[in-house]
Amino acid sequence: MENVNFFVQEAKNGKFFIYPTDTIYWIWAIWNKKNIKKIADIKNRKWNKIFSIVAPNFDWILKNYKTQINAINQYSDTLDILNWNKITRDVLQNQLEKYHGVTWIFDYNKPGVRILKHDIQTFMEIVWEAFITTSVNITWEDPITDLDKLAPEIVEKVDYIIDNWICDGKPSVLLDFVWDRIIKR
């Protein structure tokens, strides 16, 4: 991304971005209540429905989900579908490598959290904030894989659109540590 320092400041100033991943286009902004409400408005969905967040790195996840992870680790020996003993940085890294793209669920009252296997993750690390993120489509409509299909009412409500390809990769999975299950999309 050219002018990365400019875009880091723009993100910190509350700007909204559309960016491609290998599967679909996403809309994102720094994670806070104001931005959650704006993204819900853009998508025409209830603002109190939980969105995913993208963490800057694995250490951020372990710090910010520490209470939930510690609770899960206390009974992890009874869970076997996800094939883990304790949630650690290495376990998360291995899951990301195995499944290509992952959203981890540690608590149904907190957003699912992701690390992207995409160049944009480097930007997230530089900003060092969590980003609220969701597919860039009107609720109940198909996700956008080509910006030519992006609704004009969405375009007018975001600040920046990053466009560099048509998304056509395989979807990520949800790893639900609450119920010890893998949810494939």
Side-chain angles (χ1 to χ4, degrees):
M1 178 184 285
E2 292 181 34
N3 303 317
V4 70
N5 291 334
F6 171 80
F7 287 109
V8 165
Q9 194 56 52
E10 289 293 270
K12 290 185 178 208
N13 288 337
K15 301 297 183 181
F16 281 73
F17 296 77
I18 291 175
Y19 73 94
T21 67
D22 51 349
T23 54
I24 62 174
Y25 278 87
W26 292 80
I27 184 170
W28 54 266
I30 288 182
W31 182 40
N32 62 44
K33 195 174 210 174
K34 177 182 168 189
N35 291 345
I36 291 169
K37 288 181 178 183
K38 183 171 178 180
I39 286 180
D41 176 57
I42 291 169
K43 288 183 62 74
N44 292 328
R45 91 180 217 194
K46 294 179 181 177
W47 75 268
N48 58 351
K49 184 177 177 188
I50 294 177
F51 292 97
S52 294
I53 60 173
V54 176
N57 67 20
F58 293 110
D59 294 329
W60 188 96
I61 294 172
L62 294 171
K63 176 183 175 190
N64 287 277
Y65 285 76
K66 182 177 181 177
T67 301
Q68 293 79 12
I69 290 171
N70 286 343
I72 290 167
N73 281 343
Q74 288 180 2
Y75 63 85
S76 66
D77 58 338
T78 65
L79 304 176
D80 57 9
I81 292 173
L82 296 177
N83 197 20
W84 51 279
N85 293 321
K86 300 286 185 209
I87 300 170
T88 64
R89 186 182 199 293
D90 288 341
V91 166
L92 297 177
Q93 177 69 48
N94 289 339
Q95 289 170 338
L96 181 61
E97 294 302 320
K98 178 178 180 178
Y99 294 108
H100 175 72
V102 176
T103 299
W104 292 279
I105 301 169
F106 303 112
D107 181 336
Y108 291 147
N109 295 313
K110 286 187 88 169
V113 62
R114 310 170 55 90
I115 297 284
L116 302 174
K117 284 183 74 174
H118 188 276
D119 293 343
I120 201 74
Q121 185 65 43
T122 302
F123 178 78
M124 306 293 185
E125 292 171 12
I126 293 169
V127 177
W128 195 249
E129 296 271 357
F131 284 79
I132 179 174
T133 186
T134 186
S135 58
V136 62
N137 58 302
I138 303 298
T139 300
W140 304 115
E141 292 183 6
D142 289 336
I144 303 298
T145 58
D146 182 346
L147 284 178
D148 291 337
K149 299 176 183 173
L150 186 59
E153 60 267 28
I154 292 178
V155 172
E156 65 191 31
K157 294 178 181 177
V158 299
D159 301 293
Y160 298 100
I161 298 175
I162 300 165
D163 179 21
N164 60 353
W165 64 70
I166 294 176
C167 310
D168 61 0
K170 64 182 182 176
S172 63
V173 298
L174 301 173
L175 297 183
D176 181 349
F177 284 98
V178 178
W179 286 100
D180 187 36
R181 62 186 176 156
I182 300 168
I183 303 167
K184 296 183 179 180
R185 301 182 199 200

